[in-house]
Amino acid sequence: MAEVRPVGIAGLGRYVPDRILTNQDLEKIVDTSDEWIVQRTGIRERRIAADDQVTSSLAVLAAQQALEHAGITAEELQLIICATVTGDQPFPATACRIGCDLGAKNAGGFDVSAACVGFVHASQVATNLVASGAYDRVLVCGAEILSRILDYEDRNTCVLFGDGSGAAVFTPHDDCQQGEYLGGSMSMEGGAEGILSQPAGGSRHPASADSVAQRLHFMKMGGTRVFRFAVRVFAKLVRDVIDQYGIDQLGCIIPHQVNQRIIETAMEQIGLSMDYVFCNIHRYGNTSAASVPIALREAYEAGRLEKGKLVVMPAFGAGMSWGHTIFRW
Ligand code: COA
């Protein structure tokens, strides 16, 4: 029987590209308005990767900050997991390129494809590998260049998403003394894959001139169904944590930065103040797998991670998948 030991977050990092795409910029591209976007989503601007950047380049910059924060070198890493749906290419795994560019000569690597829940799922894989004693230093990245799969003729989707990356290093809690992993969940509702997807480019609909002509290589979404689903599961996940630990333990909720209105509606249903929530959606939009780790690093910098209190990260998205992680800071 393998050893089970407490696991902590030794380091956090985030990176967002310099280029800013504002709502006013989008008004010139599609039939939309700053007022509509802000009212429905809270988003004011989002970041767009430079032409010469790929998803691994964004991830490497976040990872370097996380490694520095953790005080370990890339060579000390044993495993790299990259959560992404916009990897550098379908294969090999983007984690392999990240490892190579970081100089992580002693690490293995693979990707996790779980869209907006990717970082939360990958973190649970990492924490459980460290808890078992099999690994001591695991890097998890959440990185996306969603702008490369957005249809800038489709106002239903192109206003919502942006590019960015975040990273976390997991080690035994004894080695870092912060961010102790307490638990989490991974769930899905099958049969709803079509609500939010990139229809072409896989075995169901291989890339072809026809798939491109039909714009099936771009993201498609049924917004209203996603909205209802996200509010429902967000509220349930947070209620369950409060039932288990008590409201006095709750420090900060760092949800997937999906949409300000979804977050506010769920918090209203739970009956909790928005003061518990860390949000940066107005600056970055929805960055899928990158949203939670970017917000986590920014919450850390803003002093929102209170010693001894719970940090809860609920996430939800394509699949439809959802899950959460709980850490005691
Ligand atoms: N600008 C202006 N109008 C837009 C628009 C935009 N960017 N995008 C959509 N619309 C239009 C639609 O075409 C539709 O027009 P119609 O009624 O003439 O057909 C209308 O707005 C829909 O309006 P409404 O029903 O008020 O929208 P909504 O309140 O449902 O908000 C979303 C739309 C997309 C913002 C909302 O459904 C949502 O946030 N869904 C979740 C999306 C998400 O977060 N996905 C990622 C999950 S990980």
Side-chain angles (χ1 to χ4, degrees), residues 88-94 111:
D88 292 3
Q89 53 206 67
F91 71 89
T94 297
D111 291 355

Side-chain angles (χ1 to χ4, degrees), residues 21 50 58 70 84 99 109 116 146 148 170 172 202 240 253 256 271 277 285 296 315:
L21 183 69
L58 272 54
T84 186
C116 302
L146 293 163
R148 305 252 161 94
F170 296 94
D240 287 353
I253 301 170
H256 167 44
V277 182
L296 182 58

Side-chain angles (χ1 to χ4, degrees), residues 6 8 24 26 38 63 89 118 128 135 147 151 157 177 184 203 267 318:
Q24 288 76 15
L26 282 164
V38 172
Q89 53 206 67
N128 281 285
Y135 288 81
S147 59
D151 184 349
T157 50
Q177 299 293 330
S203 61
M267 291 300 283

Side-chain angles (χ1 to χ4, degrees), residues 111-181:
D111 291 355
V112 164
S113 170
C116 302
V117 202
F119 180 80
V120 161
H121 281 14
S123 296
Q124 287 177 76
V125 175
T127 47
N128 281 285
L129 286 171
V130 177
S132 74
Y135 288 81
D136 287 329
R137 287 168 298 279
V138 181
L139 170 71
V140 176
C141 302
E144 304 282 11
I145 301 190
L146 293 163
S147 59
R148 305 252 161 94
I149 63 160
L150 286 175
D151 184 349
Y152 285 94
E153 292 183 9
D154 176 11
R155 66 180 182 173
N156 289 299
T157 50
C158 73
V159 304
L160 300 175
F161 300 92
D163 304 337
S165 64
V169 176
F170 296 94
T171 68
H173 186 256
D174 279 353
D175 295 354
C176 64
Q177 299 293 330
Q178 65 180 358
E180 182 181 354
Y181 176 69

